[in-house]
Amino acid sequence: NIIKNDNIENFLNEYEDLFKPPFNGKAFNDLLLADPETLVIKIRKISESIIMSLVNKYIQSSVKNLTFASAIFELHKAKIIDDKMNGFINTVRLLGNIAAHSNFDSNTTFNEKDAIAIANAFVSFVYDCINKEIL
């Protein structure tokens, strides 16, 4: 179920101290209107930061220097994140990668609707982390 913009904005404002680099509802709305593709990249960066902090908190130190993908894999394997959370965060990772690395030949562009869908996956992941009390 798609979360409306104001719900995303309210959620981001409520939990903005969890996000590095800093992010809140105003930044979300400003980027959504100005540059949805940059918003997707920003959400991906924040997601990677969250995943790496979860790895540092829950996975043994022998598993350092992981990529974003392998960090997600390790958290899922250790059952820190469940299947649904794994799906949400991998959606953000994969689409964020496309936004960040899309080559000009592929003509891949992200519009507001795409950015909102990716923001929904991100918010759903963070919401589940908060409910599981792992963040």
Side-chain angles (χ1 to χ4, degrees):
N1 48 342
I2 295 292
I3 299 169
K4 291 190 172 59
N5 281 8
D6 343 342
N7 294 358
I8 293 174
E9 194 176 344
N10 292 338
F11 181 87
L12 295 174
N13 287 336
E14 186 173 347
Y15 295 105
E16 72 179 297
D17 48 337
L18 296 177
F19 308 132
K20 288 167 187 61
F23 194 57
N24 59 27
K26 182 180 180 339
F28 167 80
N29 263 340
D30 290 349
L31 277 173
L32 182 64
L33 296 172
D35 190 356
E37 189 166 84
T38 298
L39 175 59
V40 171
I41 295 167
K42 177 98 170 169
I43 289 170
R44 187 216 174 276
K45 283 175 95 168
I46 295 163
S47 299
E48 185 170 11
S49 169
I50 289 170
I51 288 295
M52 294 311 179
S53 73
L54 291 175
V55 165
N56 288 334
K57 189 171 179 179
Y58 294 105
I59 307 285
Q60 290 84 1
S61 58
S62 62
V63 198
K64 296 294 188 232
N65 302 320
L66 296 175
T67 64
F68 189 14
S70 58
I72 294 169
F73 177 83
E74 292 296 331
L75 289 167
H76 187 237
K77 186 173 84 176
K79 299 191 179 348
I80 307 297
I81 62 174
D82 61 27
D83 292 346
K84 185 175 72 157
M85 296 166 79
N86 188 52
F88 286 140
I89 200 63
N90 272 302
T91 297
V92 172
R93 180 183 65 81
L94 291 166
L95 294 173
N97 286 352
I98 291 169
H101 304 293
S102 60
N103 75 34
F104 299 106
D105 301 335
S106 72
N107 217 10
T108 307
T109 55
F110 287 82
N111 61 29
E112 283 183 29
K113 193 173 167 190
D114 299 326
I116 290 169
I118 293 161
N120 268 293
F122 169 73
V123 164
S124 298
F125 175 79
V126 173
Y127 181 81
D128 286 353
C129 285
I130 291 165
N131 278 349
K132 285 184 80 167
E133 298 180 352
I134 62 170
L135 204 54

